[in-house]
Amino acid sequence: MKLGTFSTSLAVKDIHASKAFYEHLGFAVFAGDIEKNYLIMKNEKTVIGLFQGMFENNILTFNPGWDENVNTLDSYDDVREIQKHLKSKGIKLETEADESTTGPASFMVMDPDGNTILIDQHI
């Protein structure tokens, strides 16, 4: 299964303080809008998202169809196919993508320890 690029989406209390902290660790702003309370930061191939006030807990995020530079991959598994596969294995989904659509869509699942995983396709 091809899940695309991986990032950790962090629920932060103060986006300005978090931005400064991660810059000290060598991360640089790659995308986002601090005025809208979210930033995407990179350190080489490592990607993190900082999100203030958007969700309660940290989220493991996969983006089918993208590499770590947001370039479209030649080959990837569509989010709806990934969803169908997980459902066929009896995995309970927290949210679902509409399987009658194409293009951007997402769904969420929890791992056995309660960690949220977001499969978020933008293309």
Side-chain angles (χ1 to χ4, degrees), residues 87-121:
K87 286 167 68 174
S88 77
K89 299 296 181 186
I91 295 175
K92 178 184 176 286
L93 303 179
E94 299 298 311
T95 64
E96 292 191 34
D98 182 347
E99 293 180 5
S100 69
T101 64
T102 60
S106 64
F107 72 88
M108 295 174 82
V109 63
M110 299 282 247
D111 78 6
D113 295 300
N115 298 302
T116 303
I117 300 170
L118 171 64
I119 311 295
D120 191 16
Q121 181 176 306

Side-chain angles (χ1 to χ4, degrees), residues 9-28:
S9 298
L10 301 174
V12 302
K13 295 176 185 170
D14 180 337
I15 196 159
H16 295 278
S18 294
K19 175 183 179 281
F21 175 82
Y22 283 100
E23 285 174 335
H24 291 307
L25 288 177
F27 284 84

Side-chain angles (χ1 to χ4, degrees), residues 2-110:
K2 297 178 184 177
L3 296 175
T5 193
F6 170 77
S7 63
T8 302
S9 298
L10 301 174
V12 302
K13 295 176 185 170
D14 180 337
I15 196 159
H16 295 278
S18 294
K19 175 183 179 281
F21 175 82
Y22 283 100
E23 285 174 335
H24 291 307
L25 288 177
F27 284 84
V29 173
F30 176 70
D33 184 342
I34 200 162
E35 298 305 316
K36 293 182 179 177
N37 291 326
Y38 79 98
L39 293 173
I40 309 303
M41 301 184 76
K42 284 184 65 180
N43 179 328
E44 297 184 9
K45 291 186 176 190
T46 302
V47 180
I48 60 171
L50 306 178
F51 298 89
Q52 181 180 321
M54 294 185 183
F55 45 85
E56 247 180 79
N57 299 311
N58 299 334
I59 299 173
L60 305 173
T61 304
F62 295 92
N63 300 112
W66 277 358
D67 70 10
E68 69 277 358
N69 293 311
V70 192
N71 295 315
T72 301
L73 298 171
D74 292 333
S75 174
Y76 65 95
D77 292 338
D78 185 84
V79 66
R80 286 155 284 270
E81 292 305 315
I82 296 167
Q83 176 175 286
K84 286 177 188 176
H85 173 77
L86 294 177
K87 286 167 68 174
S88 77
K89 299 296 181 186
I91 295 175
K92 178 184 176 286
L93 303 179
E94 299 298 311
T95 64
E96 292 191 34
D98 182 347
E99 293 180 5
S100 69
T101 64
T102 60
S106 64
F107 72 88
M108 295 174 82
V109 63
M110 299 282 247

